């Protein structure tokens, strides 16, 4: 719906549509209650509907100016038709439900962006710059490349750069989705927005602001939010054609039934809001969900196309491998150990910058080998390197280099080297003291998750997984075999243009193709693919710019199958939204409205229900129960491990807290009663601080000694707004309302002259034995009330009605108190009665009329007697 496309949900101001909805709702309330039925002679509900419909009408007029019919126009027509037939409340309710539905839908869509919006809060505003020994806090914009910044523990890293000094951990979870912190030390790369751990870091600035990895990620997110999906544009076009169909249905309904109300209901219920919302809500939820997992999607079109891809092509170097060499094999000559070969080679390669040399030195360090550095090191381009170690000439390189240095290569070593080359290794001969010590084979290090990911992709894309590389055929074939790829799925020796050509051919042969790469040489292929995925740390700008998805993290490949599966789930959700909620529900609702089963108000409710069902169905994409359960289980395990590792201090603290919980305080007018395993411990605890063994050994109760208890008989005092009593303009009016509620079974009593009487009384008691008060009865108030009622009934039954109503009330109270004391004496309740007061005594309301007639008769009798006496006093003297 039009108004649903313009919500302000960034946390500033009120959501669009909320203020008009409040105006309409207030008008409906005042009109329905009759407080303000009209304004300037116009029905208030109609005025509210007209005011509330202004945003909808403006949206419809904007679309008409573009020569486009929209769903908002159908809503305006429905409201106008309702006003035309005099259904002002219906028109107002239609507009109100539409506005509230738009607000709720916009809020739900905004909630899907929470994970993306929260990234903005990660941007530091200031940094600590070091100038010699001076520290200064400066804005981020004031930093430049080469500046040294100091990052304290718990502070977010403000720039991209290299760690110059310090060791710590960096939490990249908000940027890459990785849950575990990454260790950083001198030479490691630091990313802006990451949270520094326990150490202080000195970082040399390389990039600031929008040029950082974090800044580029935010740019990708903004681009994704402003890119619309093809299916969404199709839904908008369908909504434009939908209005004439709606108008035709409404006209046919009116022609068939002759009832304008049915036609209005059809207009209301058939608005295609749910159809328009079907795709954008699902796409928005999908982008937000993937962003939380460290998968940045450039737009809805990319997410939809990913779900339709039928084949996938994977770059090798940097994607399936780490793009760094690692020693794989050491093949020594007879009588020589592998460590001897490796130590000799590491001594010569110690200061080398060649990837082969770095791999050899790194492996020697991992094995803890001790070796001396070479002197007189000389490199032969394309052949190897030589130097002197302990007076012996040592060479690392090709067989030709060793031969030129006079070193003998044993027979069979060439064949062994060729065998290693066919497995994709780079081979180096190591010679010393005139002979060959052995062979060293290094190869590109394969990502640990590569085989698992390729297996998952083969299930997702049957027969459509291939690998592209510029490496040699031997290296490519060896990696393909390790990953389980067929020989025909591996292409080697490719230039960037060759990769682009293969992507184009795969798309023409099998449909949408997914290309996964990491570097500049993959940019053309990523751009030509239907969906390009960059597996990178955002350092390769060309790959990121050309890709449609960017997968971040320490092991980004593992997220690739998840992204494919989730994109297919998004497509299923879009189809459900369009076919079930937007299509099926609306068709059934139009039929119900046309048959007269649904009125205009119910039609508006059904229309918004279908839209909200679309939103709720899309919001399911943001939540997966298994993830929540897994996270909960992981946290529970972490807490359990932490508690068990610190069980002794935790147990000691728990015991101390348990024992300290036995301290209690008794107020100045109270008594503390401690029961140990149910038995009261004496003496009782007086005012002050005391100690007892904690529960469940003992139980503590506090009783205020000497306190008075009060129970009501025949009525109950009502608290709250009706606490005021009605004016007593008649003697029987006191208990018809106000602060008293009569209890008839208690209040109604029989007098000695067989007359009925209603009694309202209060009995007061004083606590004399707190232990008996606590233990004598489960409900002491009920016991005391029953005793007071019995005493009153006994006394009243001996008195005539006139005596109780008039002169003998005080005597009745004294006698009832004495009877009450006699009743309670054997009960040992721990309380003694103080007094019983009759608050109110009167005949039952049912005999009030009879009493009035008696009073009237007595008044007439007195009048006649007075007249007779007056006549006698006048006539006798005469």
């Amino acid at each position: 719906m039009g108004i649903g496309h313009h919500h302000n949900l960034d946390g500033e101001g009120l959501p669009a549509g909320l203020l008009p909805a409040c105006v309409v709702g207030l008008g409906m309330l005042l009109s329905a209650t009759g407080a303000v039925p009209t304004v300037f002679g116009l029905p208030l509900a109609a005025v509210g509907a007209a005011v509330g419909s202004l945003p909808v009408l403006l949206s419809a007029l904007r679309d008409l100016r573009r020569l486009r019919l929209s769903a908002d126009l159908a809503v305006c027509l429905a409201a106008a038709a309702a006003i035309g037939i005099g259904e002002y409340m219906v028109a107002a309710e239609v507009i109100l439900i539409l506005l509230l539905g738009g607000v709720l839908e916009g809020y739900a869509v905004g909630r899907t962006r929470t994970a993306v919006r929260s990234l903005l809060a990660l941007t530091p505003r200031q940094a600590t710059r070091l100038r010699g020994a001076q520290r200064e806090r400066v804005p981020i914009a004031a930093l430049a490349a080469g500046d040294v910044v100091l990052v304290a523990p718990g502070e977010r890293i403000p720039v991209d750069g290299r760690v110059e000094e310090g060791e710590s951990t960096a939490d990249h979870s908000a940027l890459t989705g990785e849950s575990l912190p990454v260790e950083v030390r001198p030479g490691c790369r630091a990313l802006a927005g990451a949270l520094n751990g326990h150490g202080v870091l000195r970082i040399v600035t390389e990039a600031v602001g929008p040029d950082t990895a974090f800044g580029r990620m935010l740019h990708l997110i903004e681009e994704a939010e402003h890119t619309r999906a093809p299916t969404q544009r199709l839904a908008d076009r369908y909504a434009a054609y939908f209005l004439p169909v709606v108008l035709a249905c409404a006209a046919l309904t009116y022609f068939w039934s002759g009832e304008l109300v049915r036609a209005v209901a059809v207009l209301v219920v058939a608005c295609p809001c749910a159809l328009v919302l079907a795709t954008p809500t699902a796409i928005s939820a999908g982008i937000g969900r993937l962003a939380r997992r460290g998968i940045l999607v450039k737009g809805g079109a990319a997410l939809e196309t990913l779900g339709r891809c039928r084949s996938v092509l994977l770059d090798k170097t940097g994607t399936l491998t780490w793009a760094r060499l690692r020693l794989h094999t050491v093949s020594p000559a007879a009588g020589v150990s592998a460590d001897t070969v490796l130590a000799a080679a590491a001594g010569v390669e110690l200061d080398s910058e060649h990837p082969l040399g770095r791999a050899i030195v790194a492996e020697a360090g991992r094995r803890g080998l001790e070796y001396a550095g070479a002197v007189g090191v000389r490199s032969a381009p394309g052949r190897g390197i030589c130097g002197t170690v302990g007076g012996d000439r040592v060479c690392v390189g090709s067989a030709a280099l060793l031969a030129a240095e006079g070193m003998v290569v044993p027979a069979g070593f060439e064949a062994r080297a060729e065998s290693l080359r066919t497995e994709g290794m780079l081979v180096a001969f190591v010679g010393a003291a005139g002979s060959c010590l052995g062979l060293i084979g290094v190869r590109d290090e394969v990502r640990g998750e590569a085989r698992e990911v390729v297996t998952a992709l083969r299930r997702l894309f049957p027969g459509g997984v291939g690998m592209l590389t510029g490496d040699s055929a031997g290296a490519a074939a060896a990696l393909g075999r390790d990953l389980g790829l067929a020989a025909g799925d591996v292409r080697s020796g490719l230039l960037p243009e060759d990769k682009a050509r293969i992507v184009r051919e795969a798309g023409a042969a099998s449909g949408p193709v997914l290309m996964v790469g990491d570097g500049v040489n993959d940019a053309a292929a990523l751009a030509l693919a239907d969906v390009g995925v960059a597996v990178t740390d955002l350092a390769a700008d060309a790959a990121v710019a050309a890709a449609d998805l960017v997968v971040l993290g320490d092991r980004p490949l593992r997220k690739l199958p998840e992204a494919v599966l989730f994109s297919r789930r998004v497509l299923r959700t879009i189809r459900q939204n369009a076919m079930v909620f937007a299509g099926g529900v609306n068709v059934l609702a139009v039929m119900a409205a046309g048959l007269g089963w649904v009125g205009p108000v119910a039609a508006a409710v059904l229309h918004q229900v279908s839209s909200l069902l679309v939103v709720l169905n899309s919001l399911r994409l943001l939540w997966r129960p298994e993830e929540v359960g897994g996270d909960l289980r992981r946290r529970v395990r972490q807490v359990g491990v932490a508690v068990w590792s610190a069980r002794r201090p935790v147990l000691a603290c728990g015991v101390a807290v348990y024992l300290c919980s036995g301290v209690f305080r008794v107020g100045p007018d109270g008594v503390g009663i401690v029961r140990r395993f149910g038995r009261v411990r004496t003496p009782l605890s007086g005012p002050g601080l005391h100690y007892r063994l904690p529960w469940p050994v003992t139980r503590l109760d506090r009783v205020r000694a000497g306190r008075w208890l009060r129970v009501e008989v025949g009525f109950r005092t009502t608290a709250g707004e009706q606490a005021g009593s009605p004016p007593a303009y008649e003697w029987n009016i006191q208990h018809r309302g106000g602060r008293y509620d009569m209890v008839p079974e208690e209040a109604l009593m029989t007098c000695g002259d067989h007359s009925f009487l209603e009694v309202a009384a209060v009995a007061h008691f004083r606590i004399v034995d707190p232990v008996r008060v606590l233990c004598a009865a489960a409900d002491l108030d009920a016991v005391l009330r029953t005793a007071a009622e019995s005493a009153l009934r006994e006394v009243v039954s001996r008195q005539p009605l006139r005596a109780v109503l008039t002169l003998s009330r005080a005597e009745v109270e004294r006698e009832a108190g004495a009877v009450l004391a006699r009743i309670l004496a054997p009960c040992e309740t721990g309380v003694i009665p103080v007094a019983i007061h009759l608050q109110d005594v009167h005949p039952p309301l049912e005999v009030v009329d009879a009493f009035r007639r008696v009073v009237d008769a007595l008044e007439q009798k007195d009048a006649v007697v007075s007249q007779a006496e007056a006549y006698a006093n006048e006539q006798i003297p005469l």
Side-chain angles (χ1 to χ4, degrees):
M1 97 187 98
I3 62 171
H5 295 163
H6 308 286
H7 291 284
N8 174 19
L9 293 165
D10 296 332
E12 300 178 1
L14 296 175
L18 182 59
L19 184 58
C22 293
V23 172
V24 178
L26 181 61
M28 292 179 63
L29 178 63
L30 295 177
S31 178
T33 58
V36 186
T38 60
V39 176
F40 302 113
L42 298 175
L44 183 60
V47 174
V51 173
S53 63
L54 285 178
V56 187
L57 181 60
L58 291 176
S59 176
L61 292 178
R62 282 195 298 267
D63 291 331
L64 282 177
R65 199 162 50 239
R66 302 187 188 100
L67 301 178
R68 188 176 68 184
L69 300 177
S70 67
D72 292 332
L73 183 58
V75 175
C76 292
L77 290 176
I83 293 176
I85 63 175
E87 295 286 349
Y88 306 122
M89 290 294 289
V90 170
E93 196 160 357
V94 167
I95 296 298
L96 176 63
I97 294 175
L98 179 70
L99 292 172
L100 290 179
V103 171
L104 293 175
E105 290 160 358
Y107 176 75
V109 172
R111 290 288 293 172
T112 66
R113 301 173 184 168
T114 300
V116 176
R117 300 274 184 210
S118 62
L119 292 175
L120 296 174
L122 301 180
T123 309
R125 298 287 186 265
Q126 291 184 323
T128 302
R129 182 171 59 186
L130 297 179
R131 290 284 179 87
Q134 299 294 324
R135 300 182 183 182
E136 54 181 350
R137 292 290 289 179
V138 298
I140 297 297
L143 295 175
D147 286 345
V148 179
V149 297
L150 187 70
V151 184
E155 188 179 0
R156 292 203 176 273
I157 298 175
V159 297
D160 280 3
R162 295 284 174 183
V163 177
E164 182 181 62
E165 182 180 325
E167 294 185 0
S168 182
T169 58
D171 183 1
H172 295 86
S173 58
L175 284 75
T176 64
E178 294 297 323
S179 58
L180 297 177
V182 178
E183 293 186 2
V184 290
R185 53 177 57 90
C188 293
R189 191 160 184 263
L191 296 179
L195 186 64
N196 184 25
H198 56 276
V200 179
L201 297 177
R202 291 180 54 170
I203 300 175
V204 179
T205 302
E206 295 180 349
V208 181
D211 296 328
T212 63
F214 183 75
R216 290 194 293 272
M217 183 172 65
L218 290 181
H219 175 71
L220 291 177
I221 294 171
E222 293 174 357
E223 185 178 350
E225 289 185 348
H226 290 89
T227 304
R228 299 182 58 161
T231 303
Q232 183 179 357
R233 292 195 293 268
L234 178 62
D236 290 340
R237 291 197 299 269
Y238 185 73
Y241 292 115
F242 195 75
L243 181 58
V245 176
V246 171
L247 294 176
C249 290
L252 289 175
T253 300
Y254 178 71
F255 176 78
W256 175 65
S257 65
E259 298 180 13
L260 188 57
V261 175
R262 293 194 186 185
V264 173
V266 170
L267 282 176
V268 172
V269 80
C271 295
C273 299
L275 179 65
V276 176
L277 290 168
T279 298
T281 54
I283 291 296
S284 183
I287 291 176
R289 165 66 182 279
L290 290 177
R292 284 209 312 251
R293 294 287 299 143
I295 304 171
L296 305 182
V297 186
K298 283 191 177 180
L303 189 57
E304 286 191 69
T305 307
L306 178 61
R308 293 195 294 267
C309 285
R310 293 294 174 264
S311 61
V312 57
L313 297 174
L314 301 161
D315 173 55
K316 170 185 170 290
T317 306
T319 303
L320 295 173
T321 67
W322 287 106
R324 59 175 179 243
L325 297 179
R326 182 165 183 170
L327 190 141
H328 187 269
T329 299
V330 178
S331 180
V336 180
S337 68
D339 287 349
T340 301
V341 177
L342 187 58
V348 177
E349 300 281 4
L350 181 61
D351 297 321
S352 173
E353 292 298 325
H354 193 279
L356 172 65
R358 290 201 297 268
I360 292 173
V361 173
E363 182 64 23
R366 278 191 290 269
R367 298 189 182 188
L369 301 182
E370 296 182 1
Y371 54 88
V375 296
V377 177
R378 178 177 56 85
S379 63
R383 300 171 66 190
I385 187 172
C386 294
T388 302
V389 179
D392 293 330
R393 190 68 171 169
V394 178
C395 293
V396 180
S398 63
L401 175 63
L402 267 65
E405 293 291 334
M407 300 178 184
V408 178
V409 177
F413 263 48
E414 285 287 357
R416 190 183 305 179
E418 188 60 31
S419 174
L420 295 178
R421 292 189 186 100
T422 58
E423 297 179 11
M425 296 186 198
L426 176 62
V427 179
F429 291 82
V430 180
S435 65
C436 179
L437 299 180
L439 300 177
I440 290 179
V442 297
R443 64 188 303 180
D444 194 357
E445 185 178 357
V446 181
R447 292 181 184 265
E449 70 274 18
R451 183 175 181 84
E452 170 191 345
V453 171
V454 170
T455 301
L457 291 176
R458 290 181 64 185
R459 289 195 297 266
L460 294 172
F461 303 96
V465 179
M467 184 179 72
L468 309 180
T469 180
D471 283 354
S472 64
L479 180 60
R481 288 192 300 271
D482 291 344
L483 299 179
L485 295 174
D489 296 330
V490 178
R491 310 283 186 90
S492 59
L494 302 176
L495 297 175
E497 53 268 26
D498 297 325
K499 294 182 179 180
R501 173 180 53 79
I502 293 173
V503 167
R504 191 182 298 110
E505 293 173 352
S510 60
V513 60
L514 172 65
M515 175 65 195
V516 185
D518 75 304
V520 177
N521 62 337
D522 302 318
L526 292 173
L528 282 175
D530 294 276
V531 177
V533 178
V535 179
T536 177
D537 61 355
L538 292 179
D541 294 331
V544 170
D548 300 294
L549 274 76
V550 179
V551 185
L552 306 173
D554 290 339
R555 297 193 174 187
L557 271 183
R558 285 189 173 174
K559 300 176 184 178
L560 187 58
E562 177 186 349
V564 174
L565 284 171
F566 187 73
S567 65
R568 295 179 181 179
R569 184 181 170 196
V570 170
L571 284 183
R572 289 196 301 272
T573 302
I574 293 174
R575 295 189 189 101
Q576 292 170 1
N577 289 343
M579 298 177 63
V580 178
F581 302 117
V585 173
N586 272 5
V587 168
L588 294 177
V590 167
M591 293 174 59
L595 294 173
W597 298 345
V598 174
V601 175
V605 173
L606 282 177
H607 162 250
Q608 291 305 319
V609 165
S610 65
S611 299
L612 292 178
L613 286 175
V614 166
V615 175
L616 294 175
N617 189 48
S618 298
L619 288 178
R620 292 190 308 112
L621 296 170
L622 290 174
W623 178 66
R624 290 178 65 182
E626 60 270 21
E627 287 186 358
V628 176
D631 184 66
L632 179 61
R633 288 191 295 271
R634 184 171 62 254
R635 291 182 182 275
V636 170
R637 284 197 301 270
Q638 291 173 351
V639 171
V641 171
V643 170
W644 178 251
S645 62
R647 57 190 180 277
R648 291 184 179 177
V650 169
L651 182 60
C653 291
V655 171
V657 171
Y658 172 73
L659 293 176
C660 290
S661 66
V663 178
F664 67 95
R665 175 184 175 274
V666 178
D669 57 347
V671 173
I673 301 175
V674 177
R675 285 180 284 181
R676 182 179 297 167
F677 298 115
R679 178 175 298 178
V680 176
R681 192 183 69 178
T682 56
L684 302 182
S685 303
L689 289 176
H690 305 273
Y691 182 81
R692 63 181 177 91
L693 292 176
W695 183 90
V697 178
T698 61
R699 177 180 173 181
L700 171 69
D701 294 282
R702 296 178 179 88
V703 178
R704 294 177 60 187
R707 184 169 65 95
W708 283 35
L709 300 179
R710 177 181 182 273
V711 295
E712 297 174 320
V713 179
F715 72 100
R716 303 291 185 269
T717 303
T718 303
E721 298 180 358
Q722 298 181 349
S725 299
Y729 56 85
E730 288 187 1
W731 61 272
N732 66 332
I733 202 67
Q734 286 293 322
H735 303 301
R736 289 185 176 179
R739 63 176 301 178
Y740 302 115
D741 286 337
M742 295 295 295
V743 182
E745 59 270 19
E746 291 181 9
L748 188 62
M749 298 184 181
T750 305
C751 297
D753 55 2
H754 303 291
S755 299
F756 291 103
L757 189 69
E758 284 186 350
V759 176
V762 173
H764 293 279
F765 306 85
R766 184 164 56 86
I767 298 176
V768 294
D769 189 342
V771 176
R772 292 191 179 277
V773 168
L774 189 64
C775 305
D779 190 349
L780 183 60
D781 283 352
V783 172
L784 298 180
R785 182 177 292 110
T786 302
E789 180 187 351
S790 300
L792 280 173
R793 289 187 184 277
E794 181 178 334
V795 174
V796 169
S797 65
R798 297 197 294 264
Q799 300 287 339
L801 175 63
R802 182 183 293 272
V804 179
L805 289 176
T806 56
L807 301 178
S808 300
R809 179 177 295 192
E811 181 182 349
V812 169
E813 291 177 346
R814 287 193 298 272
E815 187 176 353
V819 174
L820 179 58
R822 175 172 52 82
I823 293 175
L824 287 179
C827 296
E828 298 183 351
T829 57
V831 300
I832 59 174
V834 177
I836 294 182
H837 300 285
L838 296 176
Q839 301 289 87
D840 193 13
V841 181
H842 58 73
L845 297 180
E846 291 78 8
V847 301
V848 169
D849 292 338
F851 269 83
R852 284 179 173 171
R853 289 196 294 270
V854 171
V855 171
D856 291 342
L858 290 175
E859 290 177 352
Q860 291 177 3
K861 171 189 173 184
D862 292 340
V864 171
V865 170
S866 298
Q867 291 175 2
E869 290 178 350
Y871 180 76
N873 292 334
E874 179 183 354
Q875 294 300 321
I876 289 175
L878 293 175

